[in-house]
Amino acid sequence: MDTIASLFSFITWPVSWVIVQFHKVYGAIFGPDTGWAWGLSIVSLVILIRICLIPLFVKQIKATRAMQTLQPEMKKIQERYKNDRQRQSEEMMKLYKESGTNPLSSCLPILAQSPFFFALYHVLAAIASGKKIGVIDAGLLESARNAHIFGAPLAAKFFSSDSQVSALHASLTDVRIVTAIMIVLMSASQFYTQRQLMTKNVDTTVKTPFMQQQKMLMYVFPIMFAVLGVNFPVGVLIYWLTTNVWTMGQQMYVIHNNPTPGSKAQAAYLERLTKHVTQHGKIRRRSEKAIVKAIVAKGRDRNEFERKFVNALNKAGLAAQPDGTVTKSVAQAAAQTEDGAVAGTTTATATATAAARRQQPKRQSKSQRQSGGTKAGDSPSLEKSDAPQDAKPAAAKQPEKPGSGTRSKAQSGQRKGGPQRPKSPSKK
């Protein structure tokens, strides 16, 4: 560990300078030689570093989700070229390039803060050895050596010898109790952070090898930190415990406000968003608009939770727009517009309908139509005219074609206005 820390000795000066500046502030409150002044200086260093790493953390989230999306395609490539490792690697790199994904992006926060971690380890190791380092002069060195956290010096380790601990004016029992508690808390926070990611923020609709890898890391990381933690000074344990707690809180915030699509966290988030939108009829936060915009853009590719969200908005008379806003649906707007007109015309329509029904004549029975008679109270029916049928209007008569009547009567054996044709003699 000392050899690795020496590789980052170039950054020990800025790290020591930041610690000293925070120590001046906390020393004026708690006293310059107290463990609270030096311990809070280390905590403040962690917070400052993690704030600077927030952009990298955002990239890590995007890279992790992009990797989850590519897992089905990656699995197909692995199965297709399982006997050709070189071709498999080429296809993987091609897939990363086309999707704009970098697998190393998910490790950026850890890689970025590693130099600060090893530089802090190098500073604390120098304090334990009584050597000046960076901007820490003889006075600050003596103050840091006398600083204790719950009876354990900042530079003491779990496996420090009794003589080393005595030189720092502490007891070996106190050092081991404090370091053991910190190691347990550090491992537990790492386990909870990884478990929270696996149980709440993983797409459950797709079973991929990535989920198995994350599940394995959930148990590997805590064990690794427990093994390495016994070689860390108390100050480094404070640093690592603080960064684990920061990561856990940061991840809880992301899971609550920007969950992974298809995860249980997304189902809970969309349920909360549905209640808020149906009550207020609009979306206020920019992050909420971004999520709704992404859901609308998916179209038929929405997952189960996203479809429920859209259907719930439709039932409430709302519609999600492509820009992420929510407006009243067209059907509801039309219904509200027509409410006044419909209410004003309902009575008139009912009256007109009733009048039309009263004016419509009653239908006669078959016997009435045959007899031509009417019952008392019925509307008069059409009766047969007493005039002869020949007395039709002249305009109604159709001119007969010449010869048409002659032919018709000739067919019956009669001639019009002349003697009948003699019958032909029968042949004997």
Side-chain angles (χ1 to χ4, degrees):
M1 184 66 70
D2 294 335
T3 305
I4 299 175
S6 62
L7 297 175
F8 297 94
S9 58
F10 65 93
I11 204 174
T12 55
W13 193 93
V15 169
S16 62
W17 183 85
V18 172
I19 292 177
V20 169
Q21 300 308 312
F22 281 121
H23 176 262
K24 290 180 181 179
V25 176
Y26 295 118
I29 301 174
F30 301 102
D33 298 333
T34 60
W36 288 107
W38 287 100
L40 290 175
S41 299
I42 296 174
V43 172
S44 300
L45 172 67
V46 176
I47 295 174
L48 178 63
I49 293 173
R50 295 308 300 267
I51 290 175
C52 295
L53 295 179
I54 287 178
L56 294 180
F57 180 75
V58 174
K59 289 185 178 181
Q60 179 191 22
I61 295 175
K62 293 181 179 179
T64 302
R65 292 185 179 178
M67 291 294 293
Q68 291 176 349
T69 305
L70 293 178
Q71 285 302 312
E73 298 296 329
M74 294 171 62
K75 189 175 181 181
K76 292 179 181 179
I77 293 174
Q78 291 174 353
E79 294 177 353
R80 186 180 302 174
Y81 305 105
K82 58 182 177 180
N83 297 326
D84 190 351
R85 294 293 181 181
Q86 183 178 357
R87 183 65 183 279
Q88 186 180 118
S89 301
E90 293 176 356
E91 293 295 329
M92 287 288 188
M93 296 302 296
K94 183 179 178 181
L95 180 63
Y96 294 149
K97 185 177 180 180
E98 291 177 352
S99 60
T101 304
N102 187 357
L104 297 179
S105 299
S106 58
C107 304
L108 284 178
I110 297 177
L111 295 176
Q113 68 176 325
S114 297
F116 300 96
F117 168 76
F118 288 112
L120 178 63
Y121 180 89
H122 192 55
V123 170
L124 294 175
I127 292 174
S129 304
K131 298 178 182 179
K132 294 184 292 184
I133 184 171
V135 298
I136 298 178
D137 55 12
L140 292 173
L141 178 62
E142 187 64 24
S143 175
R145 287 175 63 85
N146 294 327
H148 293 70
I149 301 293
F150 300 110
L154 293 176
K157 304 176 184 178
F158 183 85
F159 284 139
S160 296
S161 63
D162 193 6
S163 59
Q164 292 174 337
V165 174
S166 299
L168 297 173
H169 310 288
S171 66
L172 185 60
T173 303
D174 293 339
V175 170
R176 291 188 173 177
I177 290 175
V178 172
T179 52
I181 292 174
M182 287 187 175
I183 290 171
V184 170
L185 292 176
M186 184 176 63
S187 301
S189 60
Q190 180 67 37
F191 176 79
Y192 180 80
T193 301
Q194 197 67 24
R195 186 177 184 275
Q196 181 181 230
L197 179 66
M198 286 296 303
T199 56
K200 294 182 179 180
N201 206 38
V202 173
D203 188 358
T204 57
T205 60
V206 180
K207 304 296 182 180
T208 63
F210 180 78
M211 296 177 61
Q212 298 298 328
Q213 295 174 5
Q214 293 293 322
K215 188 175 182 180
M216 181 180 65
L217 293 176
M218 182 173 64
Y219 297 99
V220 171
F221 275 163
I223 296 174
M224 183 178 67
F225 278 109
V227 172
L228 297 177
V230 296
N231 296 315
F232 292 161
V234 173
V236 174
L237 291 178
I238 293 174
Y239 175 95
W240 206 255
L241 178 60
T242 305
T243 193
N244 280 358
V245 172
W246 177 279
T247 302
M248 182 173 62
Q250 196 174 41
Q251 185 170 273
M252 289 177 65
Y253 176 82
V254 172
I255 291 175
H256 187 269
N257 295 283
N258 192 14
T260 300
S263 63
K264 295 180 179 180
Q266 189 196 31
Y269 176 83
L270 292 180
E271 184 177 355
R272 295 192 305 269
L273 184 60
T274 302
K275 292 180 180 179
H276 173 76
V277 174
T278 53
Q279 289 177 358
H280 299 87
K282 60 181 179 179
I283 295 178
R284 298 178 181 178
R285 296 181 182 178
R286 185 180 300 177
S287 59
E288 294 176 348
K289 290 183 179 179
I291 291 177
V292 174
K293 181 178 179 180
I295 292 175
V296 174
K298 286 184 177 180
R300 295 183 178 180
D301 296 333
R302 302 185 187 109
N303 57 44
E304 178 185 0
F305 310 129
E306 294 167 347
R307 287 194 295 269
K308 287 182 178 180
F309 171 72
V310 174
N311 293 335
L313 292 182
N314 293 336
K315 289 181 180 179
L318 302 172
Q321 302 301 316
D323 60 348
T325 59
V326 173
T327 58
K328 293 182 180 180
S329 62
V330 178
Q332 186 186 24
Q336 290 180 352
T337 305
E338 294 175 359
D339 278 346
V342 171
T345 57
T346 300
T347 307
T349 304
T351 305
T353 304
R357 288 178 179 177
R358 287 195 300 268
Q359 292 177 1
Q360 184 177 4
K362 293 184 179 181
R363 189 173 182 179
Q364 294 181 348
S365 63
K366 185 176 180 180
S367 58
Q368 289 175 342
R369 291 196 299 271
Q370 291 177 352
S371 62
T374 59
K375 293 182 180 180
D378 291 343
S379 58
S381 59
L382 296 176
E383 298 180 356
K384 295 183 178 179
S385 176
D386 295 336
Q389 294 182 357
D390 294 340
K392 293 183 179 180
K397 291 185 178 181
Q398 298 293 335
E400 296 182 358
K401 295 181 180 179
S404 60
T406 306
R407 284 197 303 270
S408 62
K409 290 185 178 182
Q411 292 176 357
S412 60
Q414 299 291 334
R415 292 181 63 89
K416 184 178 178 179
Q420 294 184 355
R421 181 182 297 176
K423 295 181 180 181
S424 59
S426 58
K427 295 181 181 180
K428 292 182 180 181

